[in-house]
């Protein structure tokens, strides 16, 4: 009993002590507090989550894509191109590593060679165990005499090469050359305006201080990131003023919180028209029942798009078009708007032999009910709600839906080529709920094709491989000018509208939220609000 | 004595079984563990890398060889290497286990302590104190752990803003200072309280019921008739009978506490072993999953063994038998 | 019956009856259909007793329709656990090898960290009613088995069983006709207790995200509330009411068990 009394006394003392001790001193340094739900383990280059995170402050990529106008602009390097085949990158004046050594084009070359040595088809073709050959990307390079520029010649010209460079982060040659293992400290040598000062894993806090060698001086002195396990609590912290802004990759504020945050004094929003699609219904077009185009079209006329718009969107929400790609994407084509029309849906079902008996609940063909399984990530509460509403809508119409809520692992196995390869079964979902970021929509051929194209090595959830589709992709790849590309992209959107491999449940703006005291933020199309240009411009007034 | 020896042997067998189970369970899940090493958004992994990882994870070898590597990893202290996190499993666990133990062990000590005192007092005599205490505990027992946590958050973080609602430390305090230490305690109060309140009622009830059962024994009646003070009876006689089941209960509650810590870590955004496990499950990180299961089971079994040993040592019947 | 016991019994039965009615005839309690949508996040009012949630469902309606879910899983898993527990308990009380094996099995399960194992098993097994019932029963039989074992051993050594053996009755005959009837009240008490355990385990699992999300149990409702922003909106009705229901149900079973317990 004594033991417990003593423990109780110590605890009481501790409480009193910490309550009276002022543990929040007046901050003398200008620091910005950012909340995030990203999970960071070691905070060293090479950790995937950390690299995505650090692209916004320390491990800067070659170029960035402005979220406001979607143009590519120089960051670490400026660029020039001859015929979209040869690209020359010149390291900007004054770029220096945080250990004092200057950044040169040799670092770019070193990184490319490093990737090549680790199996990526950069300068050499690579063959897989099943015989599949990945063609090399570059056929040659040339370093300038002053080592400040490097010219890379692509094997095939690509007008969209810069989109790959928005996440190309270089490694310092003088640190990595010849070493097999490097220390944590070495792994944090960066060339961005900020450098990691400390990583308190237990508290979930990463603190960045200004990199003295960076040519530009930011107005703020520290960046402090706080990791939250729960989105709700993170937004509460924002509401209470404990943090100044939030970051979750390129996702903006979850529309669920938008109306609450809008009411809070002291919070401002940056709005950009969306280029990603947050709520997607993907169909697997290679297996029943959705290998039948009539069924896909029927579903597209049976959903209540107005209800989706009202339940999930923020201020800028709108009903999507059949062409899937949001209107604000450059090259987007005006296709027919999605709408609920039971009569049209019933007609499409009839074409495939499905009829609903009078007084019956579901459409039937040869006595069998029309039903399918809708796969959704159980870890994403918002996706669960999308799936729920889709099921409600379709059941009201007369199609039976079974919700298949699975963990992330199983979801990936069912909906992407890369993760299903081990099973030998391939992509096996019938329909799935997904969300596409701007980055994902723009990858490879662009316009969300990686999610539709059966041959894409990583995604390919819709499993489309018909000739018309592949022909359009071919045209997109061969396009030499923006006009040619947009023309091909237009026919892709027409294909989407006619064949419905996937449906956009709604379009919404991106709303980035920040405290009114924080100004000067810029949005990046790939990284959202956590990007280098933001932090170089940002300023924070007194708390 | 024989009974306890049997118990110890059972513990060891248990442990072996758990080791085998830890190995088998993750491998029953479908999916390609190698695919997770580069994440979903990156371009496909090259074939050389893929083969490298398959070999490193020993996925090409048959199941017995894999088991052999697993056993080896247990003995050399690394508990395997997680390629996804690029660290040995033991280092990952070590960095997180502090948080989990800080919450669960403290909760065990506090809840068992309070349960002992309270249960003894209530069980030692019949009356209103007992009735009220037991009723209160029964009602609290019906609240699931996350409800207790949420209530505490609502009351003490949003209602009256005394305590922080997430994390283990405030961001701007230097590590290693005394202030850091007290700040940590400040942040731990609510998680520990949640676990304590969740587990206290069942422990209180065990102590109280055992005490109450003893109360009816004839020798106690005799002692009271002889004029022995209430306190002497309580701590001399009743405690002695309660001690054995109590110590055994403490041992078993450590395992339950670590499990309960998963919910609490979730609620309070604390990076502990519970969240490490759920992450590992999501990403099919075999080595990490095995490691966490192993460590959790290990701690649970060890605490049972320790408390059993304490039982043996403090059991007067056995002590006398040995003389 | 003593007054306090009577009070407990009446209270317990009333609450239980209320919930049983809710699950059998939900339409009596709420005019709305289960998936009917209204405006989002409404505060409690006359037309919506507990307000609405993040997709516009009436929360009270969700609770009413969730009653049958909770009951179904709670009762079926505890029945399964009871059968398992009784079986293993009796078997482990036998002398000899069989007794030792099953005793060892009981000890093994006592030592396994319950929630941690459930998480991994749930990820492997996936969702679905049968899976969840099996999972909950998988750890729910342990307490029952231990108590059955203790009581069986006690009975076996009592004099009238010895008498039976002297008379020459077979082992199985003794087990079924003499031992088992004496276990009935223990079994019944354990069943009530078991339902509590099942409901708590189920709510813990659904809080962690494992469960049928389309037909939510009360635990699942709390999970969704927690992840869909109930805190920031101060929608405590959404967060706490399902928990209150869980508590009331557990309390009801406890009270009934208390009232019916024979004084030793």
């Amino acid at each position: 009993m004594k033991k417990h009394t003593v423990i109780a006394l110590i605890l009481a003392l501790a409480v009193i002590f910490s309550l009276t001790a002022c543990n929040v001193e007046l901050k003398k340094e200008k620091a910005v507090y950012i909340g995030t739900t990203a999970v960071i383990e070691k905070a060293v280059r090479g950790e995937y989550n950390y690299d995505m995170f650090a692209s916004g402050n320390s491990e800067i990529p070659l170029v960035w894509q402005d979220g406001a106008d979607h143009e590519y602009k120089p960051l670490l390097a400026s660029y020039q191109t001859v015929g979209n085949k040869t690209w020359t990158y010149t390291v900007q004046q004054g770029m220096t590593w945080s250990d004092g050594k200057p950044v040169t084009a040799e670092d770019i070359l070193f990184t490319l060679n490093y990737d090549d040595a680790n199996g990526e088809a950069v300068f050499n073709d690579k063959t897989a165990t099943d015989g599949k050959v990945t063609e090399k990307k570059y056929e040659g390079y040339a370093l300038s005499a002053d080592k400040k520029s490097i010219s890379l010649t692509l094997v095939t010209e690509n007008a969209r090469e810069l989109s790959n460079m928005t996440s190309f982060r270089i490694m310092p040659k003088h640190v990595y050359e010849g070493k097999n293992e490097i220390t944590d400290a070495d792994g944090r040598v960066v060339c961005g305006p900020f450098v990691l000062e400390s990583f308190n894993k237990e508290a979930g806090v990463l603190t960045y201080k200004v990199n003295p060698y960076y040519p530009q001086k930011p107005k703020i002195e520290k960046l402090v990131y706080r990791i939250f396990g729960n989105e709700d609590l993170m937004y509460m912290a924002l509401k209470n003023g404990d943090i100044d802004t939030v970051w979750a990759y390129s996702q903006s504020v979850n529309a669920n919180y938008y109306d609450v945050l809008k009411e809070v004094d002291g919070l401002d929003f940056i709005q950009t028209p969306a280029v990603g699609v947050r709520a997607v219904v993907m169909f697997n077009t290679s297996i029943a029942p959705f290998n039948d185009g009539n069924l896909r079209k029927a579903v597209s006329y049976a959903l209540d798009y107005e209800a989706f718009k009202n339940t999930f969107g923020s201020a800028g929400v709108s009903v999507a078009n059949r062409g899937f790609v949001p209107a604000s994407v450059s090259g987007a084509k005006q296709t027919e708007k999605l709408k609920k029309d039971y009569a049209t849906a019933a007609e499409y079902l009839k074409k495939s032999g499905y009829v609903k008996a009078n007084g019956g609940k579901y459409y039937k063909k040869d006595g069998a009910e029309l039903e399918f399984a809708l796969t959704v990530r159980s870890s994403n509460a918002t996706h669960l709600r999308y799936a729920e509403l889709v099921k409600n809508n379709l059941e009201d119409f007369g199609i039976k839906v079974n919700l298949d809520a699975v963990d992330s692992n199983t979801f990936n196995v069912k909906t992407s080529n890369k993760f299903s390869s081990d099973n030998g079964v391939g992509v096996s979902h019938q329909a799935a709920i997904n969300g596409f970021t701007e980055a994902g929509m723009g990858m490879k051929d662009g316009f969300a094709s990686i999610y539709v194209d059966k041959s894409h090595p990583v995604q390919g959830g819709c499993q489309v491989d018909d000739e018309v589709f592949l022909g359009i992709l071919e045209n997109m790849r061969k396009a030499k000018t923006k006009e040619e590309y947009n023309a091909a992209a237009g026919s892709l959107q027409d294909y989407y509208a006619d064949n419905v491999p996937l449906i956009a449940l709604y379009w919404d703006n991106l709303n980035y939220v920040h405290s009114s005291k924080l100004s000067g933020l810029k949005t990046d199309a790939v990284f959202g609000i956590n990007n280098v240009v933001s932090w170089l411009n940002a300023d924070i007034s007194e708390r | 004595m024989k009974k306890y020896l049997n118990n110890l042997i059972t513990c060891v067998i248990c442990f072996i079984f758990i080791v085998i189970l830890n190995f088998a369970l993750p491998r029953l899940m479908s999916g390609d563990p190698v695919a997770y090493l580069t994440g979903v958004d990156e371009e496909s992994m090259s074939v050389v890398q893929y083969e490298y990882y398959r070999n490193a994870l020993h996925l090409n070898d048959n199941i017995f060889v894999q088991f052999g590597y697993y056993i080896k990893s247990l003995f050399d202290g690394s508990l395997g290497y997680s390629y996804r996190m690029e660290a040995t499993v033991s280092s990952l666990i070590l960095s997180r286990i502090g948080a989990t133990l800080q919450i669960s062990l403290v909760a065990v000590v506090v809840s068992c302590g309070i349960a002992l005192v309270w249960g003894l007092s209530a069980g030692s005599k019949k009356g209103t104190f007992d009735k009220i205490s037991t009723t209160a505990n029964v009602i609290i027992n019906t609240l699931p752990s996350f409800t207790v946590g949420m209530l505490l958050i609502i009351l003490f973080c949003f209602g009256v803003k005394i305590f922080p609602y997430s994390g283990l430390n405030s961001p701007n305090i230097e590590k290693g200072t005394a202030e850091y230490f007290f700040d940590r305690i400040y942040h731990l109060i609510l998680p520990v309280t949640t676990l304590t309140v969740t587990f206290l009622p069942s422990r209180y009830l065990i102590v109280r019921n055992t005490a109450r059962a003893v109360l009816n024994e004839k020798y106690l009646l005799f002692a009271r008739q002889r004029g022995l003070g209430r306190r002497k009876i309580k701590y001399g006689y009743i405690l002695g009978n309660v001690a054995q089941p109590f110590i055994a209960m403490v041992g078993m509650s450590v395992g339950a506490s670590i499990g309960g810590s998963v919910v609490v870590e979730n609620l309070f955004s604390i990076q502990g072993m519970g969240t490490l496990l759920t992450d590992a499950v999501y990403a099919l990180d075999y080595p990490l999953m095995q490691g966490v299961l192993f460590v959790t089971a290990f701690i649970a079994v060890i605490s049972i063994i320790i408390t059993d040993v304490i039982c043996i040592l403090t059991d007067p019947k056995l002590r006398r038998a040995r003389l | 019956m003593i007054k306090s016991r009577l009070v407990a019994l009446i209270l317990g039965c009333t609450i239980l009856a209320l919930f049983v009615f809710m699950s059998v005839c939900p339409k009596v309690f709420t005019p709305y259909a289960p998936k009917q949508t209204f405006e989002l996040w409404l505060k409690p009012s006359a037309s919506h007793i507990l307000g609405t949630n993040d997709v516009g469902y009436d929360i009270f309606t969700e609770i009413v329709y969730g009653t049958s879910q909770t009951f179904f899983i709670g009762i079926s898993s505890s029945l399964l656990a009871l059968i398992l527990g009784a079986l293993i308990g009796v078997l482990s009380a036998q002398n000899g090898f069989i007794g030792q094996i099953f005793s060892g099995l009981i000890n093994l399960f006592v030592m396994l960290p319950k929630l941690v194992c459930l998480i991994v098993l749930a990820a492997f097994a996936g969702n679905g009613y049968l899976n969840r019932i099996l999972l909950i029963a998988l750890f729910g039989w342990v307490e029952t088995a231990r108590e059955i074992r203790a009581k069986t051993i006690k009975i076996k050594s009592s004099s009238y069983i010895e008498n039976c053996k002297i008379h020459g009755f077979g082992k199985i005959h003794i087990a079924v006709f003499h031992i088992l009837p004496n276990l009935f009240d223990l079994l019944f008490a354990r069943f009530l207790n078991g339902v509590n355990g099942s409901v708590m385990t189920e709510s813990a699992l659904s809080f962690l995200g494992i469960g049928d999300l389309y037909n939510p149990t009360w635990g699942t409702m709390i999970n969704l509330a927690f992840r869909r922003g109930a805190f920031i909106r101060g929608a405590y009705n959404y967060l706490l009411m399902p928990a209150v229901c869980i508590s009331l149900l557990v309390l009801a079973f406890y009270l009934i068990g208390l009232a019916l317990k024979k004084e030793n």
Side-chain angles (χ1 to χ4, degrees):
Chain A
M1 287 14 86
K2 265 198 197 163
K3 173 177 152 205
H4 303 294
T5 331
V6 169
I7 291 183
L9 269 174
I10 292 184
L11 275 176
L13 274 175
V15 171
I16 299 173
F17 195 111
S18 53
L19 285 180
T20 53
C22 47
N23 55 0
V24 177
E25 312 218 318
L26 273 176
K27 287 178 246 317
K28 296 178 200 111
E29 290 171 317
K30 262 197 181 177
V32 176
Y33 289 84
I34 306 146
T36 178
T37 49
V39 176
I40 309 281
E41 281 297 324
K42 294 203 314 177
V44 194
R45 177 185 284 109
E47 181 188 348
Y48 177 73
N49 278 346
Y50 180 68
D51 285 341
M52 282 294 121
F53 182 79
S55 299
N57 45 48
S58 50
E59 295 177 12
I60 56 178
L62 288 189
V63 303
W64 71 292
Q65 188 182 17
D66 193 333
D69 55 22
H70 298 287
E71 292 294 323
Y72 294 100
K73 301 182 181 161
L75 192 56
L76 179 66
S78 60
Y79 55 89
Q80 277 179 308
T81 179
V82 175
N84 289 330
K85 198 161 190 302
T86 304
W87 293 81
T88 308
Y89 302 102
T90 309
V91 177
Q92 303 261 60
Q93 185 83 303
M95 291 294 171
T96 317
W97 293 105
S98 51
D99 58 0
K101 304 270 191 318
V103 178
T104 66
E106 290 191 310
D107 294 312
I108 302 181
L109 181 61
F110 177 80
T111 312
L112 290 168
N113 278 325
Y114 183 87
D115 288 341
D116 192 87
N118 278 310
E120 266 184 57
V122 182
F123 293 123
N124 299 295
D125 294 346
K126 295 285 181 316
T127 320
T129 35
D130 57 3
K132 227 200 257 176
V133 176
T134 315
E135 222 192 309
K136 65 186 176 208
K137 191 172 170 200
Y138 300 112
E139 57 181 26
Y141 67 87
L143 267 181
S144 67
D146 62 359
K147 306 272 193 276
K148 283 273 175 202
S149 317
I150 181 168
S151 289
L152 296 163
T153 312
L154 293 166
V155 168
T156 34
E157 56 209 28
N158 182 359
R160 309 181 69 252
E161 169 66 4
L162 285 177
S163 72
N164 296 329
M165 291 301 157
T166 55
S167 47
F168 182 71
R169 296 168 287 271
I170 59 173
M171 305 158 66
K173 175 175 171 182
H174 61 278
V175 169
Y176 284 86
E177 187 160 42
K179 294 202 197 124
N180 263 341
E181 284 186 29
I182 55 157
T183 63
D184 278 359
D186 281 342
R188 292 181 182 152
V189 171
V190 293
C191 52
F194 290 92
V195 65
L196 185 67
E197 180 184 49
S198 68
F199 173 40
N200 184 339
K201 177 108 174 262
E202 291 175 324
V205 175
L206 294 106
T207 313
Y208 287 83
K209 61 177 189 219
V210 175
N211 177 2
Y213 297 103
Y214 194 78
Q216 252 178 291
K217 278 278 165 291
K219 298 190 187 87
I220 51 181
E221 288 161 335
K222 278 221 161 92
L223 285 177
V224 182
Y225 293 86
R226 284 183 61 182
I227 299 179
F228 287 86
N230 182 4
E231 237 185 359
D232 199 348
L233 294 178
M234 181 171 76
Y235 285 113
M236 289 250 20
L238 181 67
K239 191 173 159 197
N240 291 338
D242 294 336
I243 52 178
D244 301 311
T245 182
V246 303
W247 178 72
Y249 203 18
S250 66
Q251 325 287 22
S252 60
V253 171
N254 189 333
N256 191 22
Y257 298 99
Y258 177 75
D259 54 329
V260 178
L261 294 173
K262 211 165 46 132
E263 304 297 321
V264 178
D265 274 331
L267 286 182
D268 290 335
F269 285 89
I270 301 177
Q271 289 187 331
T272 50
V275 176
V277 180
R278 270 193 252 184
V280 180
V281 176
M282 294 196 313
F283 294 111
N284 186 343
T285 61
S286 63
I287 61 175
F290 291 114
N291 48 0
D292 180 348
N294 287 326
L295 268 89
R296 302 198 296 269
K297 288 186 202 141
V299 170
S300 74
Y301 281 103
L303 294 173
D304 189 349
Y305 299 103
E306 288 295 318
F308 272 102
K309 181 182 135 185
N310 293 334
T311 313
F312 294 109
S314 65
V317 67
S318 62
V319 174
N321 290 345
R322 301 184 69 81
F324 187 80
V325 179
S328 36
V329 174
S330 105
K333 182 174 171 170
Q334 185 76 284
T335 48
E336 190 193 323
K337 244 192 189 352
L338 286 163
K339 67 170 188 276
K340 178 170 109 172
D341 184 348
Y342 278 2
T344 316
E347 258 180 57
Y348 276 116
L349 281 184
K350 197 151 154 212
K351 282 190 196 159
S352 286
Y354 288 93
V355 274
K356 184 156 84 162
N358 268 338
K361 189 163 187 320
Y362 297 120
Y363 280 87
K364 290 190 187 175
K365 176 176 171 180
D366 304 329
E369 285 173 344
L370 175 54
E371 71 178 287
F372 68 94
L374 182 62
T375 309
V376 62
R377 283 188 182 87
S378 59
S379 55
N380 188 327
T382 318
H383 283 194
L384 285 172
R385 289 318 209 185
Y386 296 152
E388 176 137 356
L389 256 64
V390 167
K391 176 171 164 143
N392 286 348
N393 288 167
L394 290 180
E395 297 251 342
D396 279 344
F397 171 65
I399 302 179
K400 192 165 178 202
V401 180
N402 301 316
L403 283 185
D404 181 27
V406 294
D407 58 279
S408 298
N409 166 44
T410 314
F411 183 83
N412 288 331
V413 168
K414 284 191 165 171
T415 61
S416 57
N417 283 330
K418 175 164 148 186
F419 293 89
S420 59
S421 59
D422 192 40
N423 287 3
V425 181
V427 168
S428 59
H429 73 108
Q430 292 178 299
I433 299 280
N434 213 340
F436 300 155
T437 59
E438 174 169 356
M441 302 239 323
M443 267 187 191
K444 204 148 182 253
D445 304 315
F447 284 76
S449 51
I450 63 168
Y451 299 102
V452 182
D453 180 3
K454 183 171 181 174
S455 64
H456 191 260
V458 180
Q459 297 292 343
C462 298
Q463 299 275 293
V464 173
D465 61 354
D466 71 67
E467 308 212 330
V468 177
F469 177 72
L470 294 176
I472 299 177
L473 287 188
E474 203 44 54
N475 288 339
M476 286 166 86
R477 270 176 227 147
K478 284 197 293 203
K480 291 193 184 33
T481 62
K482 203 162 175 183
E483 287 70 32
E484 275 182 45
Y485 180 77
N486 284 346
S491 47
L492 181 64
Q493 291 170 75
D494 285 330
Y495 178 88
Y496 287 159
D498 291 329
N499 290 283
V500 196
L502 69 190
I503 301 176
L505 290 171
Y506 62 88
W507 287 337
D508 196 3
N509 283 343
L510 292 173
N511 301 296
Y512 297 102
V513 65
H514 63 95
S515 149
S516 311
K517 298 198 181 76
L518 192 54
S519 58
L521 294 176
K522 297 251 182 285
T523 58
D524 180 314
V526 178
F527 295 105
I529 214 173
N530 181 43
N531 65 81
V532 177
V533 180
S534 251
W535 303 128
L536 282 172
N537 288 322
D539 197 0
I540 188 159
S541 54
E542 282 308 306
R543 280 166 201 285
Chain B
M1 192 62 188
K2 184 165 181 228
K3 171 175 160 226
Y4 288 113
L5 258 184
N6 268 342
N7 215 2
L8 281 169
I9 294 178
T10 317
C11 283
V12 173
I13 297 181
C14 264
F15 194 61
I16 297 179
F17 185 79
I18 290 175
V19 164
I20 300 180
L21 200 69
N22 285 346
F23 173 77
L25 270 181
R27 280 163 176 75
L28 294 170
M29 293 162 66
S30 65
D32 182 356
V34 184
Y36 282 91
L37 291 172
T38 49
V40 194
D41 294 309
E42 294 286 300
E43 294 296 313
S44 64
M45 189 191 283
S46 77
V47 68
V48 170
Q49 279 178 316
Y50 192 84
E51 283 310 310
Y52 170 71
Y53 285 121
R54 272 197 82 87
N55 278 326
L57 287 172
H58 310 293
L59 293 172
N60 287 326
D61 303 328
N62 73 43
I63 200 91
F64 291 108
V65 176
Q66 289 187 42
F67 189 65
Y69 278 111
Y70 167 59
I71 299 289
K72 175 158 163 281
S73 76
L74 293 180
F75 279 106
D76 66 22
S78 68
L79 291 176
Y81 185 80
S82 163
Y83 287 94
R84 180 178 69 105
M85 306 284 224
E86 291 180 358
T88 56
V89 171
S90 50
S91 69
L92 285 169
I93 293 181
L94 272 174
S95 66
R96 306 254 206 157
I97 198 173
T100 306
L101 287 179
Q102 279 167 18
I103 300 174
S104 38
L105 285 185
V106 175
V108 166
V109 167
V110 173
S111 67
C112 288
I114 298 180
L116 187 63
V117 176
W118 202 1
L120 259 189
S121 307
S124 309
K125 61 175 191 285
K126 309 190 183 187
T128 41
F129 177 67
D130 175 43
K131 273 215 184 77
I132 298 178
S133 306
T134 311
T135 317
N137 272 298
V138 163
I139 293 181
I140 299 180
N141 205 19
T142 63
L143 292 173
S145 53
F146 49 89
T147 313
V148 175
M150 280 197 240
L151 271 175
L152 287 174
I153 291 182
I154 293 174
L155 284 174
F156 293 112
C157 299
F158 301 150
V160 192
K161 300 202 176 131
I162 312 185
F163 291 107
Y165 44 76
S166 77
L168 285 172
N169 281 95
S170 304
N172 45 344
I173 299 187
E174 293 293 319
K175 202 165 181 178
T177 60
E179 210 188 342
Y180 188 81
F181 177 70
F182 286 113
D183 180 61
R184 168 63 59 89
I185 294 186
Y186 179 57
H187 276 82
L188 280 179
I189 290 181
L190 277 188
V192 170
T193 313
T194 309
L195 267 187
T196 308
V197 172
T198 312
F199 288 116
L200 177 63
S202 48
R203 291 173 198 164
Y204 162 87
L205 285 172
I206 291 181
V207 174
R208 182 226 168 241
N209 289 339
T210 318
R212 177 53 58 87
V214 173
L215 200 58
N216 292 326
E217 297 283 341
K218 291 257 175 357
Y219 63 84
L220 274 190
L221 178 63
F222 191 54
R224 250 182 293 147
Q225 273 197 320
R226 296 278 293 191
L228 229 44
R230 227 179 31 225
R231 175 158 265 211
K232 186 87 199 279
I233 294 180
K234 196 159 96 177
Y235 293 115
Y237 291 95
I238 302 186
L239 180 60
N241 286 292
V242 167
Q244 291 267 345
F246 175 73
I247 296 178
M249 177 191 79
V250 171
M252 286 195 248
S253 54
V254 173
S257 271
I258 297 190
S261 164
V262 174
V263 172
V264 168
E265 283 172 29
N266 215 311
L267 262 184
F268 289 95
S269 304
I270 293 176
Q271 299 264 55
M273 240 177 26
T275 39
L276 193 63
L277 178 68
T278 33
D279 286 344
V281 166
Y282 277 161
L284 266 200
D285 193 345
Y286 284 172
L288 190 53
M289 264 197 278
Q290 283 163 200
V292 174
L293 282 174
F294 176 79
V295 169
T296 316
F298 184 74
I299 295 178
V301 171
I302 286 279
S303 48
I304 293 180
I305 292 182
I306 291 179
T307 47
D308 270 354
V309 168
I310 296 180
C311 269
I312 297 177
L313 290 176
T314 57
D315 188 349
K317 291 185 214 140
L318 289 180
R319 266 190 273 138
R320 256 178 266 134
R322 265 189 271 135
L323 283 175
Chain C
M1 218 186 243
I2 311 174
K3 190 159 148 227
S4 63
R5 282 174 170 254
L6 198 61
V7 167
L9 186 62
I10 292 180
L11 198 59
C13 282
T14 318
I15 300 179
L16 188 58
L18 188 69
F19 283 126
V20 169
F21 266 131
M22 263 195 193
S23 70
V24 170
C25 21
K27 291 201 174 58
V28 172
F29 288 89
T30 168
Y32 304 123
K35 295 288 172 187
Q36 206 177 340
T37 53
F38 305 92
E39 220 187 292
L40 313 177
W41 295 112
L42 287 173
K43 292 270 179 232
S45 63
S47 55
H48 295 280
I49 312 178
L50 291 175
T52 59
N53 72 358
D54 60 307
V55 280
Y57 296 151
D58 177 58
I59 294 177
F60 184 63
T61 310
E62 254 198 317
I63 289 185
V64 169
Y65 280 93
T67 313
S68 56
Q69 290 296 310
T70 315
F71 258 124
F72 177 56
I73 296 185
I75 294 193
S76 32
S77 51
S78 92
L79 266 176
L80 190 60
L82 190 71
I83 296 174
L84 264 178
L87 213 65
I88 297 185
V90 169
L91 280 173
S92 66
Q94 306 303 324
N95 298 323
F97 192 54
I98 298 183
Q100 284 206 335
I101 292 253
F102 283 99
S103 293
L105 192 66
I106 296 180
N107 287 334
L108 172 71
F109 269 86
V110 163
M111 286 193 226
L112 283 177
K114 183 164 143 193
L115 206 56
V116 174
C117 283
L118 277 176
I119 292 176
V120 178
L121 281 169
F124 156 62
N127 282 331
Y129 282 114
L130 193 62
N131 287 334
R132 276 184 294 148
I133 293 176
L134 284 176
L135 277 178
I136 297 176
L138 192 64
F139 282 93
W141 60 263
V142 181
E143 267 307 303
T144 308
R146 288 173 87 205
E147 293 201 11
I148 298 258
R149 176 172 182 270
K151 184 129 193 223
T152 311
I153 292 182
K154 200 162 142 196
I155 294 178
K156 277 180 73 180
S157 57
S158 65
S159 43
Y160 70 90
I161 297 289
E162 245 186 272
N163 198 21
C164 288
K165 283 204 204 130
I166 294 175
H167 276 265
F169 293 149
K171 253 200 193 156
I172 299 186
H173 175 96
I174 296 180
V176 173
F177 287 102
H178 296 278
I179 297 185
L180 210 55
N182 284 298
L183 292 175
F184 273 158
D185 18 280
L186 179 61
L187 281 177
F188 186 67
R190 288 305 313 169
F191 174 69
L192 292 178
N193 214 306
V195 175
N196 279 354
S198 296
V199 170
M200 296 290 256
T201 311
E202 190 279 323
S203 62
L205 280 182
S206 22
F207 179 71
L208 291 173
I210 299 154
D212 184 353
L213 298 141
Y214 193 69
N215 296 309
T217 62
W218 295 333
T220 315
M221 284 176 72
I222 303 180
N223 173 322
L224 283 169
F226 186 57
R227 288 155 68 189
R228 288 283 291 166
F231 267 132
I232 201 174
R233 293 168 189 274
Y236 302 136
N237 47 321
Y238 194 18
L239 273 174
L240 292 178
M241 274 318 291
V244 169
C245 289
I246 295 178
S247 297
L248 281 176
L249 185 65
V250 169
L251 194 63
F253 277 110
Y254 180 79
L255 285 172
I256 296 177
L258 195 64
L260 295 177
K261 188 161 66 169
K262 282 209 186 117
E263 189 94 296
N264 262 352

